[in-house]
Amino acid sequence: MKKHLLIFISFICSITTLHADYVDHAQNTLMLIPKPQSIKIQHAIHTFEDTINNNKITIYYVSSIPQAFVNQREAYHLTITPDSILIKATAEQGAYWAKQTLNQLITQYRSKHYLPCCEIVDWPAFHIRGFMHDVGRSYISPDELKQEIAILSTYKINTFHWHLTEDLGWRLESKIYPQLNDSANFGRLPGKYYTIDEAKDIAEFCKAHHVLLIPEIDMPGHSAAFRKAFGCDMQSPEGMDILKQLLKEICIEIFPDLPYLHIGTDEVEISNPEFVPEMVQHIRSMGKKVISWNPGYTYHPGEIDKIQMWSSRGKPLTNTPAIDSRYHYINHFDNFADLIALYNSNIGNREYEEDNIIGAIIAVWNDRFVYPEKHILIENAFYPLMLTFAESSWQGGRKKYFEQQGTLLKEGTPEYPLFIDFENRLLWHKQSIFKDLPFPYVRQTNVKWRITDAFPNYGNLQQSFPPEKKLKTHYTYQGKTYHTREAIGAAIYLRHVWGEVIPSFYDNPKPNHTAYAYTWVWSPKKQTVGAWISTQNYSRSEKDLPPPQGEWDYRKSKIMINDKEIQPPVWSNSHTILSNEIPLGNENFAVRPPIPVTLKKGWNKIVLKLPIGEFSTKEVRLQKWMFTCVFVTLDGMDEVKGLIYNPDKKINGKNEK
């Protein structure tokens, strides 16, 4: 055990360090994601090497961690003194999380590593904290999956939901029915599947990192690949016999040690009422518990072991544990505003695990072809969002749910300083841990705007309104007063992709209106910087057409900097026929180079004209009436230091020329 621990710690030391002077800071600057539930810091440090060399790490397994009122198996008590490290836990998983916290506490100064003397008592608010990849549609290599599992487990993400089968491909090798893996039966990335050895290896890898692996074999829907291979539907007698043999191979030969199998049952007409009960009974007979999507097949209590709620219509089932994936589809998220909503949202309307709400899983669905696989991480802002979710799902305590909380960051609210603290820590991890990985996020809590009430354009998207002539806090137009309100963030939803269900800037947005957003940006010098600019974050589950060349979108949006119009990039896609099989090109800002713009010394005027016609059009099914605008370094890796965003030209609360 000691030898294993030494190897583990030495490996983490090489990739995880903290600022050497952090122990002089207060508790709220601790660079831990997620932050512990309870921590006491003594202002003392000692060399980590002395601790390791003298084998002064001790693990005790105890009957309980008294402070942990939920999830005892994952709770731990970590004590660091000048001459020892003590971990108390009720189970190996809790001890493992204590080691992750210990690794994040390591400070490097010159050639030595240090630890703060502190006492931490910690436990998760929810015991399912996971991520899902839809590899049925878009294959992701085993090495990439393992890297994500390893990294996210250090942030106490403990579940990997592996959606292995889809209409477009059966991605798990079968020895008994090899036709499933024949390239002829794939609709995308033919022949790309996981061998049995690879699947077993990933299962072992998850186990070593204390990550629960939940494989999903979607049935009876999302199964065109099955029908291609066998010429029959899963719900037919022949299809059921084949599927039972496949499930036996999967449960006994490939994943013998896994406790769960997910069977889907969503988005399909159940033509055979015996199908789902028979499959559940068959899987249970092999010692597995069964998970199913909700909405999906209608179960009575006891007929399924867990449900996973996937849409706003998903409802808990009496006496049945429920995993919440409603509003957790990051394939529809933008990089900034939805991250705020995710951080502030509770899970299933619960602050902590109770009433069978046991946690949540972040889902990445690639109905639209996203290629190469690195772009799945970039387009979906995967790591920034997963670290955000890691903290909120571990800490709990959030007061409102996603559909109540919304996407706005508001000064003067209890959430505002908490999010600033989180953002500081998130950006530290970006620079220190993720510097060689995709992490498309920069500071946004300093980005302030004024946004007008929306002017009616009656379908004329090019109509001009008073803000184009002069920036003011309110306007009179056709006998009506139009006010402005402040907003904070690098991206602002005027109307969310899910409509009025998710609170955004406008309480009751209407089609055929035009909004204006403006701010002033103070630069300490004349400089050329990059700009992340977008007026429509393209979801990874939509067939949407790319913008017309020379336009930011189909809505005639305009971006002006110092009264000069900023032209959009040359769009790499130019197709005019809706298709999921044409990969997203450079439609989303995170996968293209930032647009170079010149800021003059002093104040720079930023104005965005944001018209909207209908909320759903033939070119873009789900219009996101929104904008993203923030200045970054020319390589897109960091914020531009020293800038001040203020629509009232104020620095430190004072007006400056």
Side-chain angles (χ1 to χ4, degrees):
M1 178 63 187
K2 288 180 180 177
K3 182 178 180 182
H4 171 75
L5 185 59
L6 290 179
I7 295 171
F8 174 85
I9 294 293
S10 297
F11 170 73
I12 296 297
C13 278
S14 66
I15 62 171
T16 308
T17 59
L18 295 179
H19 295 302
D21 61 350
Y22 96 94
V23 291
D24 294 328
H25 291 209
Q27 173 181 331
N28 64 358
T29 63
L30 201 64
M31 297 299 176
L32 292 172
I33 294 181
K35 286 181 72 175
Q37 302 285 4
S38 174
I39 180 168
K40 299 177 183 177
I41 297 180
Q42 303 169 18
H43 293 282
I45 58 175
H46 68 285
T47 60
F48 184 63
E49 281 81 358
D50 289 345
T51 301
I52 291 296
N53 292 337
N54 294 317
N55 295 325
K56 293 182 179 178
I57 298 178
T58 304
I59 299 176
Y60 286 133
Y61 288 104
V62 296
S63 59
S64 69
I65 303 294
Q67 297 92 330
F69 56 90
V70 292
N71 299 321
Q72 280 280 332
R73 288 187 59 81
E74 295 187 88
Y76 65 89
H77 187 159
L78 172 64
T79 304
I80 305 174
T81 68
D83 59 359
S84 68
I85 295 174
L86 174 63
I87 295 172
K88 294 180 182 178
T90 66
E92 189 176 351
Q93 193 167 29
Y96 183 80
W97 300 140
K99 296 171 191 175
Q100 308 317 306
T101 297
L102 184 64
N103 295 328
Q104 290 191 43
L105 289 171
I106 300 168
T107 286
Q108 184 174 1
Y109 181 65
R110 295 179 180 172
S111 61
K112 290 190 176 182
H113 296 84
Y114 296 87
L115 283 167
C117 292
C118 62
E119 183 176 4
I120 293 173
V121 182
D122 204 9
W123 66 93
F126 297 90
H127 84 264
I128 293 291
R129 307 175 302 282
F131 68 106
M132 188 221 77
H133 272 309
D134 168 23
V135 299
R137 292 184 175 93
S138 292
Y139 173 88
I140 299 175
S141 66
D143 285 346
E144 173 58 37
L145 292 177
K146 288 165 73 173
Q147 182 179 53
E148 294 171 22
I149 291 162
I151 291 172
L152 293 177
S153 72
T154 69
Y155 294 98
K156 305 181 178 70
I157 293 295
N158 70 348
T159 303
F160 172 42
H161 177 176
W162 203 8
H163 185 85
L164 282 160
T165 67
E166 257 299 334
D167 289 332
L168 293 169
W170 188 283
R171 304 284 179 195
L172 182 61
E173 182 186 17
S174 173
K175 295 291 189 185
I176 58 174
Y177 293 113
Q179 59 265 48
L180 276 170
N181 309 125
D182 191 306
S183 293
N185 296 320
F186 285 79
R188 183 185 293 171
L189 295 172
K192 289 287 188 179
Y193 61 89
Y194 303 95
T195 68
I196 290 176
D197 285 343
E198 287 172 333
K200 288 182 174 181
D201 182 50
I202 287 175
E204 285 299 312
F205 194 83
C206 285
K207 182 179 179 181
H209 289 80
H210 289 264
V211 170
L212 171 66
L213 177 59
I214 302 175
E216 180 180 354
I217 305 299
D218 211 339
M219 61 182 83
H222 296 272
S223 54
F226 179 97
R227 294 194 299 274
K228 283 184 181 179
F230 300 110
C232 63
D233 187 88
M234 282 184 175
Q235 298 186 74
S236 68
E238 180 185 4
M240 289 179 68
D241 287 342
I242 293 170
L243 189 54
K244 285 181 179 179
Q245 291 302 312
L246 276 168
L247 290 172
K248 185 176 180 181
E249 180 182 39
I250 291 166
C251 291
I252 296 176
E253 300 299 326
I254 303 178
F255 299 124
D257 299 326
L258 297 186
Y260 295 101
L261 186 72
H262 200 303
I263 63 169
T265 80
D266 62 309
E267 297 184 315
V268 64
E269 179 183 351
I270 303 294
S271 59
N272 179 353
E274 301 301 317
F275 177 83
V276 174
E278 276 199 39
M279 292 304 152
V280 171
Q281 182 181 7
H282 180 62
I283 295 166
R284 282 176 166 176
S285 73
M286 294 181 285
K288 307 290 186 191
K289 294 181 179 181
V290 188
I291 304 174
S292 180
W293 290 110
N294 175 281
Y297 183 79
T298 302
Y299 297 94
H300 297 290
E303 291 182 332
I304 194 72
D305 298 294
K306 283 183 173 61
I307 61 167
Q308 186 171 352
M309 302 178 293
W310 67 271
S311 85
S312 59
R313 295 177 289 112
K315 303 296 182 185
L317 180 65
T318 303
N319 295 326
T320 305
I323 301 166
D324 190 8
S325 289
R326 302 169 297 184
Y327 309 114
H328 291 90
Y329 280 22
I330 65 173
N331 45 284
H332 286 297
F333 279 20
D334 85 300
N335 299 55
F336 293 103
D338 285 302
L339 184 145
I340 293 170
L342 184 64
Y343 177 80
N344 285 323
S345 176
N346 62 34
I347 290 174
N349 287 301
R350 308 297 192 277
E351 292 185 43
Y352 302 98
E353 183 170 322
E354 61 179 346
D355 301 328
N356 283 315
I357 302 295
I358 61 173
I361 290 176
I362 293 289
V364 185
W365 299 102
N366 297 301
D367 302 79
R368 177 75 176 262
F369 192 15
V370 179
Y371 185 83
E373 67 182 15
K374 180 181 178 182
H375 281 195
I376 294 173
L377 303 183
I378 299 172
E379 300 268 5
N380 293 291
F382 179 75
Y383 282 123
L385 288 166
M386 283 308 306
L387 265 62
T388 302
F389 174 70
E391 172 141 331
S392 60
S393 60
W394 180 278
Q395 279 194 326
R398 274 53 175 174
K399 301 297 182 183
K400 295 181 180 179
Y401 191 44
F402 204 102
E403 62 187 6
Q404 302 163 325
Q405 178 65 40
T407 61
L408 296 178
L409 188 62
K410 298 179 182 179
E411 286 185 295
T413 62
E415 294 83 9
Y416 183 65
L418 295 175
F419 185 81
I420 290 176
D421 169 63
F422 168 74
E423 184 179 66
N424 287 334
R425 292 182 283 115
L426 181 69
L427 292 171
W428 184 91
H429 283 262
K430 172 187 176 178
Q431 295 297 329
S432 302
I433 312 301
F434 292 89
K435 56 186 175 183
D436 296 321
L437 292 168
F439 206 97
Y441 183 87
V442 296
R443 188 178 310 280
Q444 62 170 325
T445 50
N446 61 329
V447 181
K448 299 183 178 182
W449 302 91
R450 279 195 178 275
I451 301 176
T452 67
D453 293 338
F455 297 85
N457 62 40
Y458 305 105
N460 180 4
L461 301 179
Q462 299 189 70
Q463 185 173 346
S464 296
F465 296 96
E468 294 181 42
K469 296 181 179 179
K470 187 176 181 179
L471 299 182
K472 300 166 59 178
T473 58
H474 63 277
Y475 300 90
T476 300
Y477 178 73
Q478 295 184 344
K480 182 179 177 181
T481 300
Y482 291 80
H483 297 279
T484 62
R485 289 182 287 137
E486 292 186 357
I488 300 172
I492 305 293
Y493 278 109
L494 305 179
R495 180 183 184 271
H496 198 269
V497 62
W498 292 318
E500 291 79 66
V501 173
I502 307 299
S504 298
F505 185 79
Y506 292 134
D507 294 331
N508 188 24
K510 300 291 185 184
N512 300 313
H513 278 72
T514 297
Y516 293 85
Y518 71 85
T519 193
W520 291 87
V521 177
W522 184 87
S523 174
K525 60 183 179 181
K526 181 180 179 180
Q527 57 182 321
T528 300
V529 301
W532 278 352
I533 300 175
S534 177
T535 58
Q536 168 78 24
N537 181 285
Y538 274 68
S539 297
R540 280 62 67 189
S541 286
E542 297 296 322
K543 301 177 181 180
D544 299 335
L545 296 180
Q549 296 294 350
E551 300 283 354
W552 283 101
D553 51 35
Y554 286 92
R555 305 193 294 262
K556 300 295 183 181
S557 296
K558 303 291 182 185
I559 291 93
M560 309 290 291
I561 298 180
N562 293 326
D563 297 319
K564 179 182 178 181
E565 186 173 344
I566 303 301
Q567 296 300 314
V570 175
W571 304 113
S572 57
N573 278 331
S574 58
H575 57 281
T576 57
I577 298 174
L578 297 173
S579 173
N580 268 333
E581 300 313 308
I582 298 175
L584 282 167
N586 64 345
E587 291 93 327
N588 288 329
F589 70 84
V591 296
R592 63 178 186 252
I595 295 175
V597 299
T598 299
L599 298 180
K600 63 184 181 182
K601 182 178 180 180
W603 288 107
N604 295 265
K605 178 183 175 184
I606 318 296
V607 181
L608 286 77
K609 180 181 181 180
L610 303 162
I612 187 74
E614 297 300 321
F615 291 142
S616 182
T617 68
K618 63 180 181 180
E619 297 91 1
V620 178
R621 186 178 77 91
L622 300 175
Q623 294 276 356
K624 296 180 181 180
W625 193 14
M626 66 172 298
F627 68 90
T628 302
C629 185
V630 65
F631 296 117
V632 296
T633 52
L634 287 169
D635 61 5
M637 298 301 292
D638 199 2
E639 64 182 297
V640 178
K641 301 294 193 295
L643 300 185
I644 297 173
Y645 299 76
N646 193 289
D648 301 318
K649 288 188 176 181
K650 290 184 177 180
I651 298 176
N652 297 325
K654 298 179 181 180
N655 289 95
E656 299 284 345
K657 292 183 179 181

